[in-house]
Amino acid sequence: MPRDAIRFLRRGHVVELPRSLPPTTMLLDWLRLHEGACGTKEGCNEGDCGACTVVLRRATPQGLTYTPVNACILMAGQTDGAEVITVEDLADGAVLHPVQQAMVDVHGSQCGFCTPGFVMALFAHYHDTTPQRGSRQGVIDQIAGNLCRCTGYRPIVEAGMAACAQPAPDTFDASARQTAERLAAFDDAADLLVGSPERFFAAPASTASLAKVLVEHPDATILAGGTDVGLWVTKALRQMDKIVWLGRARDLAELRDEGDHLLIGAGVTYAQAQGAMAAIDPDIAELWRRIGGTQVRASGTICGNIANGSPIGDTPPALVALGATLVLQKGERIRRLPLEDFFRAYKVQDREPGEFVRAVEVPKLRAGEVFRACKLSKRNEQDISAVMMGMKLTITDRRIAAARVAFGGMAATPKRAAVTEAALIGASLDDEASWHQAMTALDQDFTPIDDMRASGTYRRRAARGLLQRALAEMAGAAPQDTRVLGLRAAE
Ligand SMILES: Cc1cc2nc3c(=O)[nH]c(=O)nc-3n(C[C@H](O)[C@H](O)[C@H](O)COP(=O)(O)OP(=O)(O)OC[C@H]3O[C@@H](n4cnc5c(N)ncnc54)[C@H](O)[C@@H]3O)c2cc1C
Ligand code: FES
Ligand code: FES
């Protein structure tokens, strides 16, 4: 029998959510409206401003993790098995947490509306164990998903650096062992189903159970990180009666290095895949840094980005260029297809009812292969792209022997540039004139549209420019001459 209650830890107590709670209740609403914990603020209600940031503490084989999430777009059921920490919980009696004290010391708050969100993002950073903790860039990246409209970011960054550079153990460290034991005790590895057959929140504990639930309920909404689905609730006000969250299926959260490729399961978040993906190429590292902000990368999955089928999703062009393969499952049947074949038309994918994305296989670069990815967006961080290019070339004796080029934002789906690829074959890195045929071929591959992000004309010109720049860099131009910012510019 599946467990029929969502449980999480809160201020030392186990909370069981009422079974009558609608399946799409957001954590922010539960905190503010049910628990009355109003320290966590609602700003945009769409994951963009970070005012609603809370931290989920979970027990993992690597120890306790502190994950900052946007409570406005996180369904309450997604907290199952975690400890929920909000801004009210940080101070130890009258003594502020070091992150809060640093905000006071450097005047990091004025009207204060954004402050709980910044404090919680910085609190997660305080417990980060990577070398970036407390560095200027580390703090900037950490708060890229938080907006402040009155203080200005300099003091907030200073507060983060001051608090996080040499963090002393806090009360959360002091209770870590006890909390880890309590969280581990939650871990019953049971399927979860709360509600009735007509209206439920389900969280299968394995891929096999997930497959079964989806065959029984092909009309259910699959929920991964919820960074797209959450907005269907808060902004589109869509009625969704059946939610199947895949975040508890442990075998779907696998990221395996298979030698020549990575196998990334459907439960793997951007943050979890960051190191392995960044190791493929510096441009992937930079692309990852610019997908959403910390909170979005902590919840959002790569397979969710693919399954969503958006023409402006950031990962599909890069993954298609790398030659990724998608693994889909329905019941016990598993099939694999080249990623580019998954996208059929605007928001139409090659996926049957009851079928789900199980994993994506991402090839690493082989000898002779070079890769470039570039995202153009209005804001550097936390913004969807206007144009996104991924390109992998095989170079032999400084001539292009094979090409895979894909774009986002140029058509109704992420799409390979077949005519451009053909025109690139045989071009010489030493003969710029030979690139021009490929640059003009882009017009045969794409007829981009005007929308609020960019005009069709801008997109066409930008795509040409990206192709030219990538070729110039591959030919030997110093990246700092071709890029304003970014990791490769530092090469
Ligand atoms: C503030 C903000 C910033 C963002 N910035 C970016 C950005 O910079 N670049 C970018 O590309 N995107 C961005 N996004 C969009 C979003 O974060 C990504 O598309 C994300 O990868 C979605 O993954 P998820 O796990 O959250 O998916 P969910 O929201 O859970 O699901 C997305 C869709 O995929 C389906 N789905 C999920 N997993 C599966 C599966 N395994 N099998 C079948 N169907 C599945 C769902 O039913 C839904 O249709 C942003 C979103 C927000 C809110
Ligand atoms: S309220 Fe803005 S991110 Fe949640
Ligand atoms: S202090 Fe007012 S919005 Fe940040």
Side-chain angles (χ1 to χ4, degrees):
M1 281 293 286
R3 173 154 57 85
D4 69 348
I6 293 159
R7 305 185 304 216
F8 55 85
L9 203 58
R10 181 100 179 100
R11 299 176 179 160
H13 301 286
V14 175
V15 173
E16 250 190 40
L17 290 181
R19 288 167 180 76
S20 56
L21 212 62
T24 54
T25 303
M26 292 296 160
L27 176 60
L28 182 63
D29 289 337
W30 186 82
L31 287 169
R32 291 179 61 90
L33 305 177
H34 293 253
E35 195 190 67
C38 296
T40 308
K41 302 300 178 210
E42 178 180 315
C44 62
N45 215 16
E46 60 181 53
D48 251 322
C49 75
C52 63
T53 304
V54 303
V55 167
L56 299 185
R57 195 155 66 150
R58 287 190 187 274
T60 72
Q62 293 74 41
L64 283 177
T65 54
Y66 292 72
T67 307
V69 293
N70 288 320
C72 66
I73 53 170
L74 192 90
M75 290 186 201
Q78 292 177 265
T79 61
D80 189 74
E83 181 187 19
V84 177
I85 305 173
T86 63
V87 71
E88 292 95 339
D89 308 333
L90 296 203
D92 185 10
V95 181
L96 292 180
H97 187 275
V99 163
Q100 295 172 307
Q101 189 59 53
M103 287 286 272
V104 173
D105 293 344
V106 302
H107 307 287
S109 176
Q110 286 188 42
C111 80
F113 193 83
C114 69
T115 309
F118 274 101
V119 164
M120 293 312 289
L122 290 173
F123 167 68
H125 194 53
Y126 191 88
H127 286 278
D128 186 359
T129 49
T130 63
Q132 289 81 28
R133 175 175 64 186
S135 68
R136 177 170 289 277
Q137 191 59 49
V139 171
I140 289 172
D141 285 344
Q142 181 72 13
I143 59 173
N146 292 78
L147 295 179
C148 173
R149 282 292 171 256
C150 48
T151 301
Y153 295 102
R154 187 187 52 76
I156 301 174
V157 172
E158 277 177 11
M161 290 170 69
C164 299
Q166 305 273 328
D170 62 8
T171 53
F172 293 87
D173 291 308
S175 63
R177 200 167 60 86
Q178 199 192 7
T179 305
E181 284 169 8
R182 295 195 70 183
L183 290 173
F186 271 155
D187 202 359
D188 57 4
D191 295 333
L192 174 70
L193 197 145
V194 187
S196 65
E198 291 73 40
R199 194 167 189 237
F200 60 77
F201 184 95
S206 66
T207 306
S209 299
L210 172 70
K212 193 162 170 288
V213 173
L214 289 175
V215 166
E216 285 164 8
H217 299 278
D219 54 335
T221 301
I222 300 176
L223 173 70
T227 59
D228 288 316
V229 173
L231 279 72
W232 300 352
V233 179
T234 62
K235 292 290 145 166
L237 307 182
R238 218 183 274 184
Q239 173 81 18
M240 288 181 283
D241 290 329
K242 300 178 181 178
I243 301 289
V244 179
W245 178 43
L246 48 78
R248 287 186 74 247
R250 233 179 270 172
D251 46 345
L252 267 193
E254 273 182 0
L255 193 165
R256 284 208 311 267
D257 191 330
E258 304 275 17
D260 61 349
H261 70 274
L262 299 174
L263 183 107
I264 302 177
V268 176
T269 63
Y270 289 113
Q272 288 163 341
Q274 189 143 9
M277 286 301 294
I280 293 180
D281 188 86
D283 270 15
I284 304 239
E286 179 63 2
L287 172 63
W288 238 245
R289 197 180 68 78
R290 289 183 53 201
I291 293 176
T294 307
Q295 296 86 335
V296 168
R297 291 193 297 272
S299 297
T301 61
I302 298 126
C303 290
N305 198 225
I306 294 168
N308 187 37
S310 164
I312 49 170
D314 280 339
T315 62
L319 298 178
V320 165
L322 285 168
T325 301
L326 203 60
V327 185
L328 293 135
Q329 181 169 348
K330 180 174 181 179
E332 291 181 358
R333 187 199 70 183
I334 294 177
R335 65 184 177 111
R336 299 164 80 248
L337 79 163
L339 179 56
E340 57 267 39
D341 294 347
F342 181 62
F343 305 109
R344 285 186 169 165
Y346 181 67
K347 295 263 182 181
V348 180
Q349 294 88 40
D350 181 359
R351 184 167 73 80
E352 295 170 20
E355 192 171 39
F356 61 97
V357 175
R358 181 186 162 113
V360 59
E361 295 169 352
V362 184
K364 298 182 190 170
L365 295 176
R366 291 177 299 195
E369 290 179 346
V370 279
F371 178 81
R372 286 294 183 279
C374 191
K375 165 175 175 169
L376 291 183
S377 55
K378 288 185 178 169
R379 271 172 58 200
N380 200 45
E381 279 96 12
Q382 184 93 322
D383 201 2
I384 305 280
S385 47
V387 180
M388 167 73 210
M389 181 191 79
M391 174 160 99
K392 180 172 83 172
L393 301 183
T394 308
I395 308 288
T396 310
D397 297 331
R398 294 188 61 77
R399 274 195 187 276
I400 298 169
R404 293 182 67 92
V405 184
F407 276 88
M410 296 287 286
T413 63
K415 185 171 169 269
R416 267 180 91 172
V419 185
T420 307
E421 288 176 356
L424 280 168
I425 309 283
S428 164
L429 291 184
D430 299 316
D431 176 14
E432 199 169 336
S434 70
W435 310 347
H436 280 255
Q437 205 183 340
M439 286 161 57
T440 48
L442 281 168
D443 287 344
Q444 293 175 61
D445 280 314
F446 300 109
T447 313
I449 57 163
D450 297 342
D451 67 15
M452 64 177 181
R453 287 198 174 79
S455 67
T457 308
Y458 169 84
R459 290 186 152 107
R460 253 199 313 274
R461 287 187 188 159
R464 279 190 192 197
L466 292 181
L467 187 61
Q468 184 176 25
R469 182 179 90 176
L471 290 165
E473 286 181 6
M474 288 172 179
Q480 48 282 36
D481 296 339
T482 51
R483 300 189 185 208
V484 182
L485 289 166
L487 295 182
R488 203 176 285 267
E491 281 180 352

